[in-house]
């Protein structure tokens, strides 16, 4: 359960724990159990932490210099007793990821290669250890190996270990040789993979354990990596796996333990905090949820979802601190931790006045008299030089903020999601004229196109103004650049055409809204066109027929009860009603041609293939077992009316670029789509829980 302490007491508690974790420095050998006076002394240490450098665009470049200044300033206060920990997602395929492959980046990284420039930032800042996040694997195991290991041509690899105790990397041929035993001295496993490592700090041994979301095979490219537990929703089984790793450290006389847990949803880390024993601090990752005290200075438009740190109680009635920060180098978390000679946090000595979440802002950096790290500045400036040409390449215009914010595209319809669907359907119909629907997972939209501005002096989220892209030295007002496109659609998924029955479509939409819950941001929430969808998130959500069958289509017999209204709206305005007031009213066997992503349909065989049992359906979408999908890949086909030469035809970036050129190429043709539903629909969303997603308009 959540551990209740007086506010001032809790604050003191949090700072002390941070201090002891951050102060750890890397050992030169595998630490041996301590004896004598060294073992009897307590420890004061500093834990600095961050996660989720995965915005995909230039957001990290805008904040990394100030972030490095904060790291340098805080580390200077406790240089021998500080740990800098990442909880995963240190990069994501997108503009920066690809820019690292430019020959100009070799001046910084020694030799060019995707993702290396982003790891060079972490090396320059002296990151001590990182958990493995889902986006760290988006390029697949082979690209991941090329990023973390030296290449013999100048690239040193990552100068820190990567941890996940519930992933078996030894079963993946590209990574097997990078695996080290658990519990080794962190210095001996730089650029390698393990479940845990140990640091020696001021004569004390501090262990760090890593863990990754068990849903990895649904949301990234895992190859042959073994993932436990088999049921990704079994939190007790996940806790048992992590506990085994913690117990091994405890048996080796390590009594100060940090868990870096990249679980994607903060409620999972909350649940783990109440189940695990002997864990002092749990650093969350993947959710971008900001934990911060009421007096913390945040970036404009940001809102904390809870306090920093959250304090829980383990089954042994030990205090457990849970912390998290926003991503893209926007925040640095800081805990100051005093431990006694038994490795127990001394609550009465906690100093909360200097702990918390620190915004990477010029004003904050100036107040501390801090300076950015020169090597970080050099890497950042190299990135900017490579990316300048993309920012000046204008594809179209918008008069609206195109909303790709994580909390929006994963919980409701947005205008950027609707624009993606219109573009995909328009392009797909050039080869699939019968297509009437396009849908995708909202989590694959990685950023907004536009500006978020706050009036001077305001700290109120409701005063944030969402505006179209501002003019800069590279682009005009309202211009949508190639860099915007590559940021928002950084995965650049391939388009496919499928045939679905009405019953299959019903089950897919039940799944698409199954993850909605307070505080949740499910990546599979739908963005679409050609449908009208109303759902009630208070009703029972769709569930698998049995563990491991979450992607098996149940058809009109779906066990979900959330979809209350569902209609197909063809481009000519013809409407086919399928569900009314929660009751099925359609023809279950009626067929519809749809456009979607190969990522979601990777489990769907092409004509002539027997099956794809080994391939998971992306984001868990229930596309396995479709009756007659007639899958057709749209990549590489000819699109004579579109002259887009910088991206592969038939991909989502290509579709949107071609759509902008066709319909929104000039300021007079600027996009006018509202950022979100309004009027009565907004009232339904905010007051009753019945969500209406009315996207059936013509392009």
């Amino acid at each position: 359960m959540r551990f209740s302490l007086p506010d001032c007491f809790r604050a003191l508690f949090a700072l002390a724990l941070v201090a002891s974790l951050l102060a750890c420095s890397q050992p030169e050998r595998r630490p041996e159990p301590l004896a004598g006076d060294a073992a009897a002394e307590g420890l004061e240490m500093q834990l600095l932490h961050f996660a989720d450098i995965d915005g995909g665009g230039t957001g990290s470049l805008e904040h990394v210099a100030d972030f490095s200044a904060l790291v340098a300033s805080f580390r200077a206060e406790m240089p021998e007793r500080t740990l800098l920990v990442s909880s995963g997602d240190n990069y994501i395929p997108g503009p920066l990821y690809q820019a690292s492959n430019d020959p100009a980046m070799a001046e910084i990284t020694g030799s060019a290669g995707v993702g290396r420039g982003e790891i060079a930032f972490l090396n320059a800042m002296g990151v001590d250890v990182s958990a493995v996040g889902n986006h760290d694997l988006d390029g697949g195991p082979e690209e991941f190996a090329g990023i973390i290991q030296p290449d013999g041509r100048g690239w040193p690899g990552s100068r820190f270990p990567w941890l996940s105790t519930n992933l078996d990397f030894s079963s993946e041929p590209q990574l097997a040789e990078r695996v080290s035993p658990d519990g080794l001295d962190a210095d001996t496993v730089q650029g390698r993979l393990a479940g845990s490592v140990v640091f020696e700090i001021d004569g004390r041994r501090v262990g760090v354990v890593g863990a990754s979301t068990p849903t990895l095979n649904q949301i990234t490219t895992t190859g042959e990596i073994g993932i436990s537990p088999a049921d990704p929703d079994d939190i007790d089984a996940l806790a048992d796996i992590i506990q085994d790793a913690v117990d091994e450290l405890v048996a080796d006389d390590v009594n100060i333990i940090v868990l870096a847990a990249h679980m994607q949803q903060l409620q999972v880390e909350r649940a783990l905090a109440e189940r695990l024993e002997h864990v002092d601090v749990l650093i969350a990752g993947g959710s971008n949820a900001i934990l911060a005290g009421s007096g913390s200075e945040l970036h404009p438009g940001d809102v904390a979802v809870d306090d920093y740190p959250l304090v829980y109680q383990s089954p042994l009635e030990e205090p457990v601190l849970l912390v998290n920060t926003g991503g893209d180098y926007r925040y640095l978390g800081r805990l100051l931790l005093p431990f006694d000679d038994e490795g127990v946090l001394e609550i009465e000595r906690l100093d909360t006045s200097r702990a918390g979440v620190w915004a990477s802002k010029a004003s904050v950096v100036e107040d501390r008299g801090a300076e950015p790290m020169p090597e970080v500045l050099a890497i950042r400036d190299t990135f900017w030089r490579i990316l300048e040409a993309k920012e000046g390449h204008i594809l179209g215009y918008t008069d609206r903020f195109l909303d790709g914010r994580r909390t929006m595209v994963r919980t409701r319809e947005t205008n950027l999601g609707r624009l993606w669907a219109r573009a995909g359907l328009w392009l797909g119909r050039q080869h699939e004229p019968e297509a009437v629907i396009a849908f995708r997972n909202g989590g694959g939209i990685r950023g907004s196109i536009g500006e978020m501005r706050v009036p001077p002096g305001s700290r109120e989220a409701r005063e944030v103004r969402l505006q179209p892209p501002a003019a800069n030295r590279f682009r005009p007002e309202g211009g949508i650049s190639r860099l915007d496109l590559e940021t928002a659609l950084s995965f650049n998924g391939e388009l496919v055409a499928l045939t679905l029955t009405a019953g299959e479509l019903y089950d897919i939409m039940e799944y698409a809204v199954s993850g909605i819950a307070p505080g949740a941001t499910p990546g599979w929430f739908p963005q679409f066109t050609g449908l009208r969808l109303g759902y009630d998130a208070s009703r029972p959500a769709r569930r698998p027929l049995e563990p491991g069958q979450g992607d098996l289509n149940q058809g009109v017999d779906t066990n979900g009860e959330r979809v209350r209204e569902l209609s197909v709206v063809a481009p000519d305005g013809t409407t086919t009603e399928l569900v009314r007031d929660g009751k099925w009213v359609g023809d279950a066997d009626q067929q519809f041609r749809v456009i979607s992503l190969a990522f979601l349909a990777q489990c769907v065989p092409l004509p002539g293939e027997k099956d794809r049992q080994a391939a998971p359906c992306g984001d868990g979408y229930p596309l396995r077992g479709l009756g007659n999908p007639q899958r057709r890949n749209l990549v590489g086909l000819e699109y004579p009316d579109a002259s887009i030469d910088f991206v592969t035809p038939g991909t989502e970036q290509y579709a949107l670029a071609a759509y902008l050129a066709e319909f929104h190429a000039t300021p007079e043709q600027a996009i006018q789509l509202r950022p979100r539903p309004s009027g009565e629909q907004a009232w339904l969303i905010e007051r009753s829980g019945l969500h209406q997603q009315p996207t059936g308009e013509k392009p």
Side-chain angles (χ1 to χ4, degrees):
M1 66 178 180
R2 181 82 172 269
F3 189 53
S4 297
L5 291 174
D7 287 348
C8 59
F9 222 34
R10 271 187 57 198
L12 288 174
F13 184 117
L15 284 175
L17 181 52
V18 177
S20 49
L21 285 173
L22 276 177
C24 73
S25 59
Q26 296 180 346
E28 297 180 357
R29 64 187 189 287
R30 173 165 185 154
E32 298 296 331
L34 301 173
D37 292 341
E41 296 177 357
L43 172 67
E44 292 184 340
M45 62 176 284
Q46 178 176 224
L47 179 63
L48 304 176
H49 64 91
F50 64 100
D52 304 327
I53 313 304
D54 60 358
T58 61
S60 60
L61 297 186
E62 294 164 1
H63 302 289
V64 68
D66 289 335
F67 182 92
S68 74
L70 293 175
V71 170
S73 175
F74 290 134
R75 184 184 280 135
E77 294 184 12
M78 305 175 72
E80 303 300 324
R81 290 177 287 124
T82 295
L83 276 183
L84 178 58
V85 179
S86 168
S87 204
D89 278 3
N90 295 307
Y91 52 80
I92 189 172
L96 299 191
Y97 188 81
Q98 296 299 333
S100 293
N101 209 26
D102 190 287
M105 186 57 70
E107 300 176 9
I108 295 293
T109 59
S111 62
V114 292
R116 292 180 177 183
E118 291 156 291
I119 295 301
F121 277 138
L122 306 187
N123 287 344
M125 288 186 283
V127 168
D128 291 297
V129 64
S130 176
V132 177
N134 53 292
H135 290 307
D136 298 317
L137 293 167
D138 280 343
E142 184 174 4
E143 286 190 8
F144 181 49
I147 290 168
I148 70 174
Q149 66 186 1
D151 67 358
R153 296 181 288 110
W155 170 240
S158 62
R159 295 195 175 105
F160 52 87
W162 296 73
L163 306 181
S164 184
T165 193
N166 64 312
L167 300 184
D168 180 7
F169 297 104
S170 65
S171 59
E172 167 49 55
Q174 297 290 340
L175 298 172
E177 294 183 358
R178 304 305 301 170
V179 178
S180 293
D182 295 347
L184 295 182
D185 174 342
D187 257 358
T188 68
V189 290
Q190 293 183 4
R192 300 184 66 82
L193 300 157
S196 64
V197 292
V198 176
F199 295 88
E200 187 176 301
I201 301 176
D202 204 21
R204 296 299 300 271
R205 304 178 72 212
V206 176
V208 180
V209 177
S212 307
T213 173
T215 65
L216 278 182
N217 66 343
Q218 298 178 9
I219 59 178
T220 189
T221 307
T222 55
E224 300 301 317
I225 297 171
I227 304 169
S228 298
D231 180 358
D233 297 323
D234 191 342
I235 293 180
D236 289 328
L238 176 62
D240 288 343
I241 294 168
I242 298 171
Q243 190 64 61
D244 287 343
V246 171
D247 291 345
E248 288 181 7
L249 292 177
V250 173
D252 198 26
D253 293 332
V254 178
N255 57 13
I256 298 174
I257 296 176
V258 177
L259 171 63
H262 193 93
M263 292 296 141
Q264 290 290 98
Q265 300 292 335
L266 188 62
Q267 62 261 35
V268 178
E269 283 111 347
R270 290 178 189 264
L272 289 174
E274 296 179 319
R275 286 166 167 79
L276 297 171
E277 301 173 358
H278 308 302
V279 172
D280 298 293
V281 181
L282 196 162
I283 305 173
S287 67
N288 285 264
I290 300 172
L291 301 181
S294 58
S296 299
E297 181 176 352
L298 303 180
H299 285 280
D302 286 352
V303 178
V305 302
D306 213 327
D307 293 336
Y308 180 103
L310 297 176
V311 185
Y312 290 87
Q313 200 172 46
S314 80
L316 298 180
E317 298 186 354
E318 310 155 317
V320 182
L321 300 190
L322 172 61
V323 293
N324 198 47
T325 64
D328 284 348
Y329 294 123
R330 292 165 60 83
Y331 296 97
L332 176 67
R334 186 193 193 201
L335 287 172
L336 299 170
L337 308 169
F339 294 95
D340 66 15
D341 57 358
E342 299 293 330
V344 176
L345 188 67
E346 296 185 296
I347 297 177
E348 69 280 2
R349 295 178 54 211
L350 287 173
D351 176 7
T352 57
S353 64
R354 295 184 295 148
V357 171
W358 295 76
S360 302
K361 299 173 61 176
S363 58
V364 175
V365 170
E366 291 170 3
D367 287 346
R368 288 194 57 82
E371 295 290 338
M373 299 179 184
E375 188 175 349
V376 168
L377 292 177
I379 300 167
R380 181 201 64 181
D381 292 346
T382 300
F383 268 125
W384 277 127
R385 286 193 295 272
I386 295 171
L387 294 172
E388 277 182 1
K390 293 183 178 182
E391 181 73 343
H393 185 174
I394 303 303
L395 304 174
Y397 289 83
T398 178
D399 281 344
R400 297 280 188 170
F401 176 85
L402 299 177
D403 201 340
R405 291 174 293 172
R406 177 191 178 97
T407 55
M408 295 298 168
V409 294
R410 292 168 178 246
T411 59
R412 66 193 68 191
E413 177 202 26
T414 77
N415 57 357
L416 183 53
R418 200 182 328 157
L419 181 66
W420 175 94
R422 289 182 175 188
L425 182 60
W426 169 77
L427 189 77
R429 281 172 61 87
Q430 295 185 31
H431 288 282
E432 295 285 344
E434 300 303 315
V436 294
I437 301 165
F439 71 84
R440 66 159 306 140
N441 57 324
I445 296 176
R446 306 305 304 181
S448 300
I449 299 176
E451 313 289 332
M452 295 176 60
R453 298 188 181 277
V454 175
S458 173
R459 297 177 62 182
E460 295 294 328
R462 64 176 180 270
E463 296 182 6
V464 173
R465 299 292 179 262
L466 305 179
Q467 300 175 346
N472 58 31
R473 57 178 173 153
F474 305 119
R475 70 172 173 196
E477 182 78 20
I480 300 173
S481 72
R482 176 180 168 184
L483 184 58
D484 290 326
L485 178 77
E486 293 180 355
T487 297
L489 303 179
S490 59
F491 294 145
N492 196 26
E494 299 178 354
L495 298 179
V496 298
L498 301 169
T499 294
L500 304 177
T501 66
E504 290 166 345
L505 178 64
Y506 178 30
D507 185 52
I508 289 168
M509 289 301 109
E510 278 286 3
Y511 174 78
V513 299
S514 65
I516 293 297
T521 52
W524 59 92
F525 185 86
Q527 299 291 332
F528 52 79
T529 194
L531 296 174
R532 288 199 180 101
L533 169 65
Y535 69 93
D536 186 347
S538 68
R539 291 178 175 269
R542 182 196 187 275
R543 62 190 185 281
L545 294 173
E546 59 184 64
Q549 290 194 327
D551 56 5
L552 183 64
N553 194 278
Q554 301 171 11
V556 75
D557 295 324
T558 179
N559 55 36
E561 299 179 22
R562 290 188 167 185
V563 173
R564 314 308 294 165
E565 312 288 340
L566 181 63
S567 297
V568 176
V569 184
D572 64 1
T574 302
T575 300
T576 305
E577 191 175 23
L578 303 180
V579 179
R580 181 194 312 139
D581 295 330
K583 305 295 184 182
W584 180 259
V585 297
D587 175 2
D589 296 323
Q590 184 174 358
Q591 294 185 338
F592 299 100
R593 198 68 171 155
V594 306
I595 306 299
S596 191
L597 291 171
F599 168 66
L600 302 185
Q602 58 190 313
C603 59
V604 179
L606 289 163
E609 288 184 332
K610 291 184 178 180
D611 59 55
R612 291 192 173 192
Q613 291 299 321
C617 300
D619 249 344
Y621 262 74
L623 300 181
R624 194 184 305 278
L626 300 177
N628 186 25
Q630 303 177 61
R631 171 177 171 170
R632 185 186 187 188
N633 295 338
L634 301 182
V635 167
L637 302 180
E638 292 187 7
Y639 298 91
D641 294 334
S643 56
I644 307 299
D645 59 5
F646 64 86
V647 66
T648 303
T651 60
E652 58 180 336
Q653 287 184 14
Y654 181 91
L656 185 51
Y659 187 82
L660 291 172
E662 181 72 15
F663 298 105
H664 304 290
T666 67
E668 293 73 25
Q669 297 172 303
I671 296 165
Q672 301 291 335
L673 294 174
R674 294 191 306 270
R676 55 181 292 189
S678 61
E680 178 65 13
Q681 289 147 0
W683 185 89
L684 288 168
I685 288 173
E686 295 169 4
R687 303 294 178 88
S688 74
L690 177 63
H691 294 232
Q692 300 279 351
Q693 304 291 352
T695 47
E697 311 99 314
K698 299 178 184 179

